[in-house]
Amino acid sequence: MGLSSPAQFQGTLTSKLKEQFDAGLLAGQALHADFTMAQPLARYTQADHEIWRALYDQQAAMLPGRACDAFLQGLETLGMARDHVPDFAELNERLMRATGWQVVAVPGLVPDEVFFDHLANRRFPASWWMRTPAQMDYLQEPDCFHDVFGHVPMLINPVFADYMQAYGRGGLKAQKLGALDMLARLYWYTVEFGLIRTHAGLRIYGAGIVSSKSESIYALDDTRPNRLGFDLRRIMRTHYRIDTFQKTYFVIDSFDQLFDATRPDFTPLYAELRDQREFAAEAIEDGDRVLHQGTGQEPALS
């Protein structure tokens, strides 16, 4: 949701909204001007709850020793339901007390400016619907499990919560400056697919990894991807793919490092990087802090 190219957005949004309507994701629901809607709790089926339970149990069992402490502590603090799709209102009671954030239900894709405005005001837009049994470990468009299980526990962490709000504010500015592509890469390689180095070794904090069994293993154990030290300029120049596991992961040393690196005004940085060459997702470049150089083999979703 969000982060689409401005030039392509209107057609994409129209198409996605039609898809959402045809799939019944909007039928009978009032969609507000900010693209939020009441979470339709009565529309969750037994199959939806069973998929949530299976995914939750699977990830909760494998993430200790893989996910960072901040994620695991956030999951524990939230007391997120294991056996049914959570009620966002119940999550918000704990989340608001912790960091002032709240989860708001959306049907899926929202306009970039709406997405950024929500983040800037400490609201996380989460798709309300659940994936199908055929999509248990991977789907390209985020569903409720990805958005809620994957993203929301990290919002308990005060530094990461502030980073997400700052990202939203920066997104509103980047849109005016025509720099969304660069900022989208930062979101992709941190919020979605970030790794952190700890005294116990590499750990996961990105939502796209912690919500996927296969990528939770691949990101830390597989020899194919690169693992590079965090570098803001490098990330903003690096392409990514959405049709496969990542070819490169960027590793932060702490959440303070991430927040401090992204605290300054990006306006001069966008101007500096605009005419510089961009890097392929699998590239290793001079000056990279290489923690692990991948084999270069093509990853395959499994």
Side-chain angles (χ1 to χ4, degrees):
M1 84 184 48
L3 306 181
S4 57
S5 164
Q8 299 174 342
F9 175 72
Q10 193 57 51
T12 301
L13 176 61
T14 301
S15 173
K16 291 304 295 183
L17 283 176
K18 184 177 185 305
E19 281 183 29
Q20 291 160 10
F21 182 83
D22 290 345
L25 303 184
L26 298 174
Q29 303 294 319
L31 191 64
H32 304 304
D34 63 359
F35 280 70
T36 62
M37 56 192 290
Q39 184 188 11
L41 293 170
R43 295 188 60 187
Y44 292 118
T45 65
Q46 187 60 35
D48 290 329
H49 294 307
E50 289 174 358
I51 290 170
W52 174 276
R53 180 169 58 250
L55 289 170
Y56 189 108
D57 287 346
Q58 168 186 279
Q59 293 307 104
M62 74 173 304
L63 287 175
R66 292 185 176 274
C68 67
D69 288 344
F71 178 87
L72 297 174
Q73 291 165 4
L75 192 62
E76 181 178 358
T77 299
L78 283 168
M80 196 178 292
R82 299 181 68 110
D83 60 351
H84 61 271
V85 179
D87 183 334
F88 293 179
E90 293 178 0
L91 291 178
N92 286 341
E93 291 180 11
R94 303 179 187 95
L95 191 55
M96 285 287 290
R97 284 198 301 268
T99 56
W101 274 81
Q102 61 180 309
V103 183
V104 293
V106 295
L109 183 73
V110 301
D112 292 321
E113 66 272 14
V114 172
F115 179 71
F116 294 133
D117 185 69
H118 280 308
L119 296 187
N121 288 282
R122 297 177 94 86
R123 297 186 299 264
F124 188 80
S127 298
W128 71 266
W129 51 273
M130 286 295 298
R131 68 190 69 185
T132 68
Q135 301 167 315
M136 283 293 284
D137 198 47
Y138 179 81
L139 71 169
Q140 287 192 9
E141 185 176 355
D143 73 334
C144 183
F145 187 78
H146 169 90
D147 281 342
V148 176
F149 182 93
H151 282 284
V152 177
M154 287 301 303
L155 296 176
I156 292 288
N157 179 273
V159 177
F160 195 81
D162 288 346
Y163 170 70
M164 288 290 282
Q165 182 177 30
Y167 185 90
R169 291 170 174 168
L172 294 171
K173 178 180 288 187
Q175 189 171 42
K176 297 175 183 177
L177 297 173
L180 280 186
D181 53 347
M182 287 183 267
L183 198 67
R185 293 167 187 161
L186 177 63
Y187 191 91
W188 185 264
Y189 282 118
T190 60
V191 178
E192 291 290 356
F193 292 98
L195 300 178
I196 184 169
R197 186 157 52 174
T198 75
H199 68 278
L202 293 187
R203 294 293 184 266
I204 304 159
Y205 70 91
I209 312 177
V210 297
S211 58
S212 165
K213 176 182 178 181
S214 296
E215 193 144 11
S216 294
I217 298 169
Y218 176 87
L220 295 182
D221 300 343
D222 205 285
T223 60
R224 284 171 289 184
N226 303 318
R227 299 177 185 90
L228 307 179
F230 175 86
D231 183 313
L232 179 62
R233 286 170 169 77
R234 172 70 157 88
I235 288 173
M236 285 189 168
R237 297 167 65 189
T238 304
H239 290 276
Y240 58 84
R241 288 171 53 183
I242 65 171
D243 60 338
T244 184
F245 291 147
Q246 302 311 299
K247 293 194 169 186
T248 296
Y249 296 95
F250 287 92
V251 182
I252 61 173
D253 295 320
S254 69
F255 294 117
D256 287 322
Q257 177 201 26
L258 177 62
F259 188 54
D260 290 344
T262 56
R263 190 192 303 269
D265 180 9
F266 282 177
T267 303
L269 181 59
Y270 295 145
E272 172 193 333
L273 299 181
R274 194 172 305 280
D275 296 325
Q276 294 188 14
R277 73 182 180 91
E278 298 178 344
F279 306 126
E282 69 276 12
I284 295 283
E285 298 291 327
D286 292 341
D288 286 342
R289 184 159 57 98
V290 181
L291 307 181
H292 170 78
Q293 182 167 349
T295 63
Q297 293 176 289
E298 183 74 11
L301 296 173
S302 59

